[in-house]
Each structure stands twice: as C-alpha cells, then as structure tokens.
Amino acid sequence: MLQDAQLETVRGLRAVVALVVMLGWLGAAGNARVVGQEAGQATAAVNERANLLRSQADEAYQRGDYKRVIDLANQLLQQFPKDNPHVAYHLRASAKIELGRAARDGKQIREGIADSRSALKEGEGKFPWLNVPYIYGMTALGELENKAEHLETAIKWVTPLLDKPTGETFSEEDKGNLHYQRGMALAAKGDQRAAASDFTRATKLAPRLLAPHLRRATSLAYLGQAEEAEEAFNETIERFPTAVIAYNDRGNFRRGRGDLDGALTDFSKALELDPKFAIGYINRGITQFDMQQAKAAEGDFQQATRAAGDLSTRNMAVRLRGGARLAQGDVQGAVDDLTLAVRSNPNDPTIVEERGVAEFCAKHYPAAADDFARAMRIDNKLVRIVPWYWLALQRSGRDAEAKALIQRTMDQEMPPIGWIGALCKMCDGLMTDEELLRASQDEGTELEKRQKLCEAHFFLGQAALLTKETDKARDYFEKAVASNLFSLSAYRGAQFELQQFKK
C-alpha cells in the first residue's frame, strides 16, 4: 500500500544503472588506459581520476544519493569533457529525473531529459542503453503532468530500439531493460495488459534484474489475476531471497487480498533483512491496525519515526501513530501527533479533518469545529465534512451557526445528494431515524452499506444526546461499535462515547 519515495526508484533506473555503466564506460575507459600508458604516465593518471569519479558516481546512484551523483557528474564534465562524456550525462540525467520524480518537480525532470539527449548525442548512437533515462524521464513527466502525449513519446521512442540486434554494446539484458521501460510507460498510460507482456519479456531477457519481476507481479494483480500474481511474487522472492522490496510488495499484495497474516509475515521478513526500513514498519503497522492490534501498530509507527530517512516518511509515521493512539483511547497523544502532522502539511484537508475528529473525540468541540471549517476552506468540495462540522457546532452550543451551515449547504446550486445528502437532511430535521437507516441501505456494495449503517447509528446517537435521550444514544453507539468497522471515524467516535477500546 505505502511506498517509500525511493522504492519506486528500484522500478525505474537504479536496478540497471550499474550494469549500464559497466557496459558503457569500462570498455572505453579500459582502452583509454592502454593508450594513456603508451603515451605517458600523466595521461594515464588523468584517466584513472576520471574512472574513479565515474565509479564514485555509480556507487552514489546505487545508494540513492542523487545530489552527490550530480556533483560528481559535473566534475567529470568540467575536468574531463572528452573522456566518455556520454556516461557523465547519462548519470546526471538519471539522478535529476529521480530527484524530480520524488519532488514532483517537472522542471528538474525536464533538465534530466535534456541531459539524456546530450548523452545520446555524445554516444553517437553506439549504445542503445543510453536511451533509458530519456524514456524513463518522458514517462515520469507524463505521470506528473497527466499528459498522454509524453507517454506516447516514450513508447514510440523505445519500440524501434527493441528491433535492434544485440551485440557488443547492446546485450540481451539491455534489451530486457528497454522492454521494462516500455512496460512502465504502458502501465502509466493504463494499458496494463500490454505492460504485463513487456514486463514478462523483460524477465526472460534480463533475469538478474529485480524490477521487471516485481512489476510483472503487480501488473498481474492489477489485471485481477490474483493467483498468477501470487505465483509471480513467489518466483521473484525465490530468485531474490534477500530483496527487501520484494517482501514488502508481496506484503502489500497480500494485505490487499485480505491475507493479513501473510502480509504481516512478509513485512516482518523485510524488517529482518533491513531493520532500518521505515516503510516496512509503516506497512506492518497498518496491517496490525487492520488486525485491531492498535498498540502493536503504534510501536511500529514509532519505530518508523526513528528509522525514517526523509521528512515525508517521518510525517506519515507520526500521522499514523496518532490514529493508533486514538484507537486505544489516548486522545491527547492522538491530538498531539495530528497537530504535528498538520504543521508539516498545513494545506492537506484530510489531515486537518482527522485532527478535527480527534478533537471531537476529546470533547474539544470548538477546536473540532474550527478544524472542520479549516478543512472546508482548503477544499470547499469536501461536503462529507458538513455533518461532522454541524455536530461539532451543536455540541459547542452554537445552534444558530449549525443551522446556518446546513442551510447554506442545502441551498447551494448543487446540494449534496446520496448518503451525505441524507445525513444533511437528518441534521436539518427533515429525515427520521427510520428514514435515515433505510437510506443507508439504498445502494452500494455490502461493505459500503455496512459503513453507512455504522455512520447512521453514530449520528443518530449524537442526535439523541442533543435531545438528552441518553439510553437511546447508548443503544445507537453500541450498534455502531458492533459493526466492527475499525477504521471509520464514526466507529471511533462511538467508541469514545462508550469508552470501549481495543488495545
């Protein structure tokens, strides 16, 4: 479910760059060293220095230190502009695209694409693998800007390359990587079946590369071929038994299938292989939360905050820790965590909404109302918040404001319809308990109907509290908790009314 910013890198370039560099510049640099030795020791020393910088740049790329890659590539281009410049451009292009992709920065991705063109020009068409950053960059740009034409450019660019014969500078593994890159573009375009075919071809041509194996498995899962996907994940792990990301991805797949025990085992194995794998702690924590083991989940989210190597992952872990604390009844701990999350992402309405729910559970009704109002100012389309906002105003004793809120909502040119519309009508006194309960079952999947019924019981319980019908309210809250829909805000609110928590 959750992916570290660097995990997708494995599916991009990092899995292949070491091989690309080896095939490209070691052969050329080796010849240069021979010539240098014949010409004199000074030239040999220069070439050795260039070789060292290239090696250091490759190592930096492998560990994800892309800024260091750019710095080293710049040194190569400045100090040794005639010594295999295609390699320096290739590395710098790859690093810029990775940084741009992680930061969602189209300008930096475009700079990487420009470098990839320079690499191709300097390579004079001798090395088909130099096309990889260009294809990857266009795919990344297409995903970021949601422009199909960028994806089509990537696909049209790579397709003729796949017809080139392999040879000294174009191995089967190189061709496999190009199939993989086309598969990535096809997947981004939404053609998962064609993407799965390319990923399968890539695994045959480049069996040593992890990324195509993983993407083949995830594409099969996307196509609904669950058994085939499970088998593909199993084969991947058999081939790469120490690959942390393989266990992580199979864990996400198993969690999606409802196999929580299998997912827990996979995430635990990933953490055994890498105890500092922050996303592994987050994914295992989420799985334990799904299993209603909130205390264990909190422990994993806490571990993730310590292991996180970047601010976004740490902030995610803090936010999730807040949810786990709320599930255990630690409302102040939850509010504190969600406040940190809001400070880190002040324009994310869903985090502000989450804190509003926590404040409501803490009976800090004015603070909850302020958060719900703030979330709706950030995104005025979030009408799902209106019933909660109304309730927080009512519990704050601000009846006139609550009535005005519902009036404004229902008087809009396009007032809410469906389930949210029904809740708003209930708030406005236009729907009886029985009518709301029936409305919850009008449409949707069985799970959606259960979720709406839980919300109906919670809001009807709150309405009963407002009219001082405490026994009736308790009955409704007990029905909401009986739904066992652990992740719903309505479930959580009912828990706090009853003061019943699962540790």
Side-chain angles (χ1 to χ4, degrees):
M1 171 179 175
L2 296 166
Q3 295 293 332
D4 184 57
Q6 290 186 353
L7 290 187
E8 273 299 315
T9 299
V10 175
R11 304 181 178 91
L13 295 171
R14 188 192 295 179
V16 297
V17 95
L19 179 69
V20 164
V21 171
M22 180 180 72
L23 289 173
W25 67 260
L26 280 186
N31 293 333
R33 280 198 296 272
V34 172
V35 172
Q37 288 167 1
E38 292 173 351
Q41 291 300 315
T43 304
V46 169
N47 289 333
E48 287 299 333
R49 172 64 178 161
N51 290 343
L52 177 61
L53 289 173
R54 280 187 287 260
S55 177
Q56 289 174 342
D58 177 46
E59 289 171 2
Y61 192 92
Q62 296 306 308
R63 63 176 183 269
D65 189 352
Y66 304 123
K67 291 181 180 179
R68 177 64 174 159
V69 174
I70 293 170
D71 178 58
L72 290 164
N74 288 340
Q75 291 182 50
L76 279 164
L77 291 170
Q78 291 163 9
Q79 298 173 26
F80 311 102
K82 301 298 183 184
D83 191 329
N84 298 294
H86 64 286
V87 176
Y89 280 119
H90 172 84
L91 284 163
R92 194 170 74 176
S94 303
K96 284 181 177 179
I97 293 167
E98 297 292 9
L99 286 173
R101 193 175 185 280
R104 299 186 63 77
D105 183 347
K107 180 176 180 292
Q108 193 160 37
I109 293 174
R110 282 186 165 86
E111 289 177 1
I113 291 170
D115 271 347
S116 72
R117 291 195 184 103
S118 296
L120 287 165
K121 180 180 177 182
E122 294 292 344
E124 300 177 340
K126 298 175 184 177
F127 311 107
W129 48 261
L130 284 175
N131 291 273
V132 169
Y134 179 76
I135 301 158
Y136 182 56
M138 292 305 297
T139 299
L141 197 62
E143 289 179 302
L144 177 63
E145 298 181 351
N146 195 28
K147 290 185 177 179
E149 56 263 36
H150 295 327
L151 302 173
E152 286 293 347
T153 296
I155 294 165
K156 289 177 181 177
W157 186 277
V158 68
T159 298
L161 297 172
L162 297 172
D163 294 329
K164 287 184 175 289
T166 57
E168 185 178 351
T169 60
F170 188 41
S171 69
E172 284 200 341
E173 196 157 89
D174 293 330
K175 183 173 283 192
N177 187 32
L178 290 174
H179 272 287
Y180 167 71
Q181 295 297 333
R182 187 173 69 175
M184 292 284 284
L186 287 164
K189 187 183 171 186
D191 191 347
Q192 293 291 339
R193 195 166 300 281
S197 177
D198 262 337
F199 294 141
T200 299
R201 182 67 176 151
T203 63
K204 305 297 184 187
L205 291 166
R208 294 187 301 168
L209 301 185
L210 170 62
H213 289 82
L214 286 175
R215 285 306 301 238
R216 174 174 175 263
T218 54
S219 289
L220 290 170
Y222 189 92
L223 291 168
Q225 300 176 26
E227 297 305 320
E228 293 86 346
E230 177 90 28
E231 184 178 347
F233 276 118
N234 294 344
E235 289 174 357
T236 301
I237 286 173
E238 287 175 13
R239 182 176 290 276
F240 305 96
T242 60
V244 173
I245 190 174
Y247 289 99
N248 180 77
D249 284 12
R250 188 175 69 177
N252 283 325
F253 166 73
R254 286 176 165 176
R255 177 177 175 268
R257 292 188 76 188
D259 180 8
L260 298 182
D261 288 331
L264 194 66
T265 298
D266 277 342
F267 295 134
S268 295
K269 180 62 177 179
L271 290 167
E272 178 187 320
L273 290 167
D274 183 2
K276 295 182 180 180
F277 180 40
I279 289 298
Y281 286 113
I282 286 176
N283 283 333
R284 190 172 71 177
I286 290 172
T287 304
Q288 292 184 127
F289 193 87
D290 289 345
M291 299 170 82
Q292 300 194 25
Q293 298 172 3
K295 189 170 185 61
E298 180 189 354
D300 270 342
F301 298 142
Q302 177 66 20
Q303 285 285 83
T305 66
R306 294 171 180 155
D310 62 281
L311 192 59
S312 63
T313 302
R314 186 180 185 281
N315 289 339
M316 185 193 306
V318 169
R319 177 183 180 180
L320 290 166
R321 186 178 66 188
R325 286 175 169 173
L326 191 65
Q328 298 172 74
D330 178 9
V331 69
Q332 191 55 54
V335 170
D336 290 346
D337 275 346
L338 291 169
T339 296
L340 289 174
V342 168
R343 286 175 186 164
S344 299
N345 300 278
N347 295 317
D348 187 331
T350 60
I351 302 179
V352 178
E353 178 187 2
E354 285 176 33
R355 186 175 67 175
V357 171
E359 294 280 17
F360 187 94
C361 291
K363 302 188 185 303
H364 300 160
Y365 301 122
D370 289 346
D371 270 343
F372 294 137
R374 176 176 172 177
M376 293 194 70
R377 283 196 300 273
I378 296 170
D379 184 353
N380 60 14
K381 295 180 181 178
L382 289 180
V383 291
R384 68 167 184 262
I385 295 177
V386 170
W388 280 94
Y389 186 12
W390 173 86
L391 194 52
L393 289 170
Q394 286 281 7
R395 297 296 297 265
S396 300
R398 296 151 67 180
D399 297 5
E401 290 178 64
K403 185 174 182 179
L405 169 67
I406 292 298
Q407 195 69 46
R408 288 196 308 272
T409 302
M410 301 307 289
D411 286 348
Q412 293 179 112
E413 185 177 341
M414 296 182 65
I417 58 174
W419 177 237
I420 299 302
L423 285 175
C424 288
K425 287 181 181 178
M426 185 275 295
C427 295
D428 204 21
L430 300 177
M431 186 168 280
T432 66
D433 292 16
E434 292 74 18
E435 287 171 335
L436 185 68
L437 292 169
R438 283 199 299 271
S440 73
Q441 303 303 295
D442 277 351
E443 57 185 21
T445 65
E446 287 305 310
L447 176 59
E448 289 168 343
K449 289 178 181 179
R450 287 178 58 213
Q451 290 171 336
K452 289 186 291 184
L453 186 59
C454 174
E455 290 179 343
H457 286 140
F458 170 72
F459 280 102
L460 290 173
Q462 290 292 333
L465 285 182
L466 292 172
T467 55
K468 302 188 185 307
E469 299 173 271
T470 54
D471 289 343
K472 180 180 179 182
R474 183 175 184 83
D475 181 56
Y476 276 132
F477 293 139
E478 286 176 345
K479 288 177 179 176
V481 169
S483 72
N484 213 31
L485 294 171
F486 196 59
S487 62
L488 282 187
S489 295
Y491 175 97
R492 192 72 61 237
Q495 271 190 307
F496 271 87
E497 295 296 346
L498 298 171
Q499 287 295 298
Q500 296 177 2
F501 305 101
K502 295 181 181 180
K503 301 295 185 178

